Amino acid sequence: MGTNSVSNTKQDKSSQGSNPRSNRKQDLTWNYVSEGVDSKGKKVTACNFCGKQYVGISSMKQHLAGLNQSKTACKEVSSEVRDSIVQSMKENKEKTKEKIVVDLEMTDYEVKDGQSSQQSCTSQSRKRKNPHSLLFLTLLLSFVPHNHTQREATPGKEKMAESESAKQHIDRIRRTKFSIGGDENPLTEDLHQAVKNLSAELYAKDVHFLMELIQNAEDNEYPEGVDPSLEFVITSDDITATGAPATLLIFNNEKGFSDKNIESICSVGRSTKKGNRKRGYIGEKGIGFKSVFLITSQPYIFSNGYQIRFTEAPCSHCSLGYIVPEWVEQHPSLVDIQRIYGSGSSLPTTTIILPLKSDKVEPVKEQLSNVHPEVLLFLSKIKNLSIREHCQDPNLSTVNSIGIITETNFMTRKSIDAESYTIHLSASETDTEKQCSYYMWRQKFPVKQESRVERRTEVQDWMITLAFPLGERLSRGNTSPGIYAFLPTEMVTNFPFIIQADFILASSREIILLDDIWNQGILSCVPLAFVNAFTTLVKKTDAPISSLLSTFRFLPVTQSSYAKLNVVIDSIKERICAEEIVPSVSHLGQKFFHKPCEVGRLIPAFWVILEKARREGARLQNISSHGVYILDSSFDKKENDSVLNFLSLREVSNEWYSKCIQGCDLVTSVSESTYVEILLFIAQNWDSRFKNTNMVKVPLIKYHVQKGATHLTSLEEFNPRTLCLVAEKNHSWLLDWNGEFRCMSDCVFLPHETRKALNACSTNMDVIRNWLGEKITLMDLSVSLYAQCLLRSLKKDNRLVVAYAHFLHHSVTKGFLSVDEAKKCCQDMPLVDNYGNVKTSTFGVLVPAGAGKWVSLITGSNPWRQDGYIELWEEYMTSGVFAGVRSKQRELLGFLKEYAKAGDVPEVAPPNAALPALSGALQKQNVFLLLEWIRRHRNSLPSKFLDSVKGGSWLRTKMNASYDYRPPSQSFYHTSSWGSVLKNGSVLVDVPLVDRSFYGKKIESYTEELKTAGVMFEFSQACTFVGEHLMRLAGTSSLSRENVFSILKFIRNLREKLLSPDDFITSIKGRSWLKTSSGDRSPVGAVLFSEEWKAASLISEIPFVDGDAYGESEISGFKEELKLLGVVVEFPNNHGLIVSHLKPEKLNYLTADAMILLLECMRNFTSQHLVDSLRSSQCLKTKGGYKSPAECFISDPDQTCFLTVFDDVFPLVDDSFYGSRISSYKKELGQIGVVVQVEEAVKAFVRAFKQKAASSSLTRDNALSLLSFYKKLMGSDHKFPEEVMKSYTELQWLQTTLGGFRAPEECILFCSEWEPLRLIANLPFIDDTPKWYGKSIHSYKKELRSLGVTVELKQGMNHLVSSLSLPDESSSITPSSALSLLKCVTFLIEDGRKLTQEFLDKVSVRWLKTHAGYNSPKECLWFDKSWELEPCDGPFIDEKYYGSKLMSFKRELIEVGVVDDPDKARQLLATHVYTHSDSDAISRIYRFLSKTEWKPEKDSSSSSGRIWIPSDEKWADVSSCVVSDEDKLFGSHLNVLENHYKSYDLLYFFSSAFNVRITPSVEDYCALWKDWERTKDRLSSHECCAFWSFLVRHGISEDLLSESFSRLPVKTTDSSNDEEGILLSSKSDVFIADDLLLKDLFIDSPVFVWYPTPSNPRLSQTKLMELYRKIGVKDISQCVETSEAKLTDRTKVKKQEKSLIGPGLVRLVLGFLSDPSLKIEAEERSRIIESLVSLSVLQTPETISTDYTLKLPSKGEKLVAKAKKVMRWERKEGVVYAEKIKKTCGKRKVLEYATCFAEVIAKGVMSGREDLIEMLSELVKMAYLVEFDEDALEFLMKSKNLEVYEEDEKLISDAFSHK
């Protein structure tokens, strides 16, 4: 392959005589640097002094010049070099401020001689800000193309000779062409017209002169070895002496102007480029250089000795402008030009000087300042470009200078019509430098016939170039060109790449003509070019996938402002989406690309999880095996959304995540922190993504039951467990105890590591907790809470209960439970009593008897048991080991005492029972134990216990020198100070004293306890004891006269001894021992009789002391003692005594004086008893006889009217009987109840009214009288008393038909409107029957209304609501009653009242008649014809039954719950449909349900899972139904709905609402096959085709494969006969014919799997065979056993004339073995070749054959077939036996022989590598067929990339040299 290459190494061009500025390496700096490439492949320059590297020469200059000492200055450079560099920079600074240098060096393997290498770059074009936006670009390359060799301007004679020749040429042109100084040119008139036309065209067209001149410069020719350069210098110096404000100079190192070029420029329409577009010329507008006249009036050209100018104004000699050349003699001079250019370098070949028009200076400067760095991107010649302003003070420069450098690396990838390469651009401005590389794709497309245009007739191919910036684009301004026609347009495409092509432009060159068919044809090819370029960038790189992101940003994701370009975008999108260019996740190091539609995106949060899982070793290799390929993670980021949306990438389905988490085993293969992130991810996305997916079935939840085993389960399977979250410190402790109890299996623990990971982030913890809490039972489990939960699991197991106590004890001991928590737990702790029974509730706890002191005080049964106390089990005191913790003996007892309050005497509270042990003497220590017990509980001693203590004879006492055990309440603890006094003064009484000498001093510390026990300590108590003793005697018999006087004397004695008798008196004065007129009684209140008491004795029973018994004179001698005892001995001020002994029975029928006496007692002594007695007696005389005071009234005229209401209710006191005296006692009379004021009279009236109302004793006449009085009083001027009015309205005094009295507001005055409501409401009508008020009650209608009685239906709705009672028998409700009820609903609604829940509840019973019987309103439907149903189809209200009035109550019916909304009605109808058996009705309901999109409710009954089968007239379960049976196989196995329902809508409804399968499932098909296996031996062709087509299309799981098939269809000779059917055979006897030769051998036996013949498009034979293999069918090649038949006669064997083992074969085999991928070492290759060369090939006349045996296991048979072979390799003998082949045999025989030979050789050579036999066999066969021809063999090996190594060549030569 020949190539024309140019070295990339920079060449020294100093010898070429070109302008030094055309070669950037003429800079002085290059002498001190070396070039190289850094680690990233970027070109750098290295300092020869210190070795420091920089990108770009500008930075290197700074480094060597040392301008920044602190950072980059070179420390090694000499001062001479530094000074020279600084000087050079100063000189250059005058020339340029900012510089662009484009260095384009090309190594192009693809561009042929004469072909233009054009590059293009796409970007957003920059819009002009003013009319001169592209002024400079047109000027930039405004050079006329030249075709002859460049000549250097030389000094001396050569220069002068050249100038002289050029001047003569100009003179000739002026003379001959323009008739100046010569004969007249006959074409002068034509020239005038041409120039006139040129002027008109120049100024009329929208010509962009800069673009015209740029394309001319590109079309110029340049010397070989020269980098084509352009330099623009603008100066304010008027070097042309034309008075121009500024001058633009353009320097170009092209070959220079030739004679022909000069003649062309002096003409109109004679461009030297015409017809040369195919050669790469890019100009076409026909104006070219003439366009400079837009900015100048006199352009100058200095080139190859020519020094000429042209003028815009007509020449004075010929009257022509534009094209008449004038020789320049003085201004400008070459010296002036050199000064502007710079004295350090010689002038380039061509210089154009343009003195600018005054109005063009600023536009030109603006364009010079805005030249785009990419302007040279698609120009094949110009390499360097610089722009600067020449002025004396560089700071005054008004032009932004710039410099560009470009390089081209043709590391190409070439196809037939396309190539790619890279261009590097660098741009430097002042001290900064920017770089960018562009990947270029150039592709050729044939011009479409429909796109051809006249101006491009010679072009046969479109060359489209796309430029892709590999970094930040170089730019100036806000926008960049997007479309190039070799030079930039100003079109903003919004494409991230640049399009370059030979577009037809508008005259301004700013835009392409989008409507032009030529341009449209080009644009139609851009999408394909882009796709080719893009796929190459994506796929043909070894870079990691993450680096491809930048490539994908070249996709045009943003719409263009040009509609025609949006078509390009759409086409690119369509094409790119069909390409396999999207990278998917790979964990094998291999890149995989897929079509966008095959790839899915993941949620960013899940990527984070996967990345962590990968780092933690999770198996993610099958991440793309869940139905979709997964986009590579480096791509799947939010910042790439625009690109991915452009490719139409979508997120994976929500179901994918559940498959991934389960399939990749993420839960168990990641760390706990990652596991928590998985839970958080699921929780945060549950409602929006995973709620209705199989995520609930994924094992997500980790838990422990006990130590050592972590379990995993799904949310669905977790219940009824409770997941417990345990604090870190408690986790191990609770797990140990959970294992101990084994009764908390439903209480599982979140693993400690998981909880720790959750706690790391409290926010995540809350999210996951809330989510889990909604799905499963979740609990924060403390040790305390665990104890509470454990309580519920202990049940009645006494051993577990004891263990529970140990758990609490050790939990407290080890700090897992606080004291308060332990106490709380112990409150509910069950305990085991001494019988081993578990007690869950106790009032108290006793320590076991074996450990308690209480036994010494308790005999017999335990007295605490009745109070709920239990005695603890003895097991509580034993030792044991629980959850690995040992409890010592009796260790638990202390815990129970402290926390369970297990008590003992004296700690335990005494029982509320008598203690039998206290009834007798107690040992001394037990006495003190009892006293200590009392001390501990002194303030809360139970009464029975205290009584037994006080009354028990357990305390030792001493009395009269004798000892006895007496109750404490009868014992005294005495002192010597009063003992003797007591004895001397006592009468018949001996006092028992505690035996202090027996108990010792210890008894003195228990004095308070003895007091509590009843022991008496004080003298007063002794006195009391004496008195009570006497009183006990009095209790048995009356005290004798002597006893009484002894008592009186004892009192007198104590007074005389100055001892208080109070306690003694207190103990006896309340007892009945003193004889009085009223019998024995206490002294208190008794009266010592005198005459003053005689009157009082007549009206009372005062107890006078019995003077007869004691003697009046004797008893009178003890007045003081009797007075101390409470006897009354004086009369004054003792009215109260009279009252206290008043006899109430004597108060009736009192005389006037008696009554006055009693009133006087009342006045002087306040006594309620007297008042009450008088009130209850008939003591007052009235005009109607004696009455009680409460019945009496003082006469008053204002009260007269009240007295007439009730007869005999208001009796008046008879003032004539008592006289005027009675009036002075009005106050006292009022106190005993007499009504003395009007207000009281009113109250009395009200009381009477209330009494009669309360007792329901009001008669008919009473009620009518009340109404009459009310009517009369309301008609008068008197104010109606408020209390009376209140009684009228509130009291229940009106009789109703319900059988009782009611208040007016609770009553209804009946009218006809209420009649229909009687049946459905218990209404309180006023009883207007003759039995009560009769019809006369209606005369009081007005009064009744004012009192609150309901007299109209509309006002009685409250009565209706409260009284409504619909009967149980619905049929008893008449239509009129129902309609009246609805009318009442109307009233309720019209009043603005919302129907109460009470009312709605009452009407929610079955009372509305429907076509389906009586229903409640919510079960009724309002019939709507638009539903397309019949009234009988559902529970529609029976309009015929209720009549036409029903229609007016629709609103009311809806208010009470009747359904009229189809969306609500659908559920009623869906439920009702199952009551039907009419197919038409059911179909109508189904259609309605379908229209309303009904779906079964989640909690609906199982009946919703049935569908009506019309033909069978039955309901079928949904599971037995399918929508359709395309293959017509399931007619007898399933209910195929399309056979019964023809409506597509209904079929869709069955599918969506009931989830009826659209078609039979794989499981259905497998069940069908199992049925066929049982019932059939043959199947029809249709059955087989349909069945296996389905399985091939839908696939089948491995479980079903293994379970469903035991017999399979086989191919038989009659398989094509459908009448015979296809035979089913045992799976083990069926094989796949993977070897056609073996197939031919056994073709007559039914052993091969069936497949359709002819082929069936729905049933791929390949996929069918794959399915058979999955089922377990084996390939016949794996099952056949072979045996070689031996040769019987070897005498006839002879050596083959022409050996088949030749050099060609050996070379081929050796080349194959040398393939590096096979890894066969040289020694092994040598061994194989030696065995091959040593083979002997012998011919035999015998037939060489092989026996093939096939076993049929189910039948126990063998099939044997024999096959002929033409060759065999006997390895042991080293011989190949072959049949002799005839020379005239046919081609088939030759091919058969070649095939057999190749197989024998391949199997022999590669006997250890079966995988390579087929490859080698094919090679040998091809070589054999070409007879191992050397040339053919060489081609064959090259085509297979096979070669023989040099060291192996010797093997071949040695092998055959021996032969």
Side-chain angles (χ1 to χ4, degrees), residues 924 928 973 995-1005:
K924 184 190 296 185
F928 287 115
Y973 192 95
D995 191 353
R996 295 170 61 182
S997 61
F998 175 73
Y999 292 113
K1001 284 187 174 295
K1002 188 175 181 180
I1003 196 70
E1004 296 177 6
S1005 63

Side-chain angles (χ1 to χ4, degrees), residues 272-505:
T272 57
K273 296 184 293 181
K274 287 186 177 180
N276 291 319
R277 194 160 195 84
K278 292 173 66 176
R279 294 179 56 195
Y281 291 112
I282 66 175
E284 69 169 329
K285 285 300 170 186
I287 298 175
F289 177 76
K290 313 300 189 301
S291 60
V292 299
F293 287 105
L294 291 172
I295 62 171
T296 184
S297 300
Q298 297 181 46
Y300 293 75
I301 297 175
F302 285 67
S303 178
N304 279 345
Y306 289 96
Q307 298 179 192
I308 60 175
R309 71 177 177 186
F310 299 90
T311 60
E312 184 178 29
C315 176
S316 58
H317 301 287
C318 63
S319 301
L320 290 175
Y322 300 111
I323 61 174
V324 179
E326 297 181 20
W327 190 262
V328 177
E329 297 288 354
Q330 293 182 354
H331 302 291
S333 66
L334 290 176
V335 175
D336 294 332
I337 297 173
Q338 185 71 60
R339 176 174 57 81
I340 299 299
Y341 183 69
S343 59
S345 304
S346 59
L347 289 173
T349 310
T350 299
T351 300
I352 295 178
I353 303 165
L354 305 175
L356 300 178
K357 298 176 180 178
S358 60
D359 61 335
K360 300 299 182 182
V361 174
E362 291 305 322
V364 169
K365 285 185 176 182
E366 181 181 353
Q367 289 306 308
L368 287 173
S369 298
N370 292 324
V371 168
H372 200 283
E374 294 174 344
V375 70
L376 303 183
L377 195 57
F378 298 103
L379 299 182
S380 61
K381 297 178 182 178
I382 300 175
K383 306 300 187 295
N384 303 325
L385 176 65
S386 66
I387 301 168
R388 61 187 174 88
E389 182 174 5
H390 174 269
C391 54
Q392 297 300 322
D393 185 355
N395 293 326
L396 299 178
S397 176
T398 57
V399 174
N400 294 331
S401 302
I402 189 168
I404 304 173
I405 301 173
T406 72
E407 296 178 5
T408 301
N409 291 336
F410 265 84
M411 301 298 293
T412 62
R413 298 180 178 91
K414 183 181 178 183
S415 63
I416 296 176
D417 293 313
E419 63 182 2
S420 63
Y421 51 92
T422 304
I423 286 182
H424 304 283
L425 282 181
S426 64
S428 57
E429 301 186 39
T430 311
D431 297 328
T432 62
E433 182 172 351
K434 298 180 181 178
Q435 295 187 352
C436 182
S437 297
Y438 297 79
Y439 176 79
M440 315 295 288
W441 178 268
R442 184 164 60 196
Q443 187 166 355
K444 183 170 64 175
F445 296 90
V447 176
K448 300 176 183 177
Q449 189 62 36
E450 64 271 17
S451 299
R452 291 191 174 277
V453 293
E454 183 179 354
R455 65 179 76 181
R456 295 289 192 273
T457 55
E458 77 279 12
V459 179
Q460 299 301 317
D461 295 303
W462 286 313
M463 186 64 72
I464 298 176
T465 305
L466 304 181
F468 301 89
L470 302 180
E472 183 180 355
R473 286 185 64 180
L474 302 182
S475 62
R476 298 180 99 187
N478 297 326
T479 58
S480 296
I483 291 182
Y484 276 63
F486 303 103
L487 290 171
T489 66
E490 286 202 354
M491 295 184 68
V492 178
T493 63
N494 287 340
F495 291 178
F497 56 91
I498 307 168
I499 304 173
Q500 147 64 30
D502 187 12
F503 290 108
I504 294 177
L505 304 173

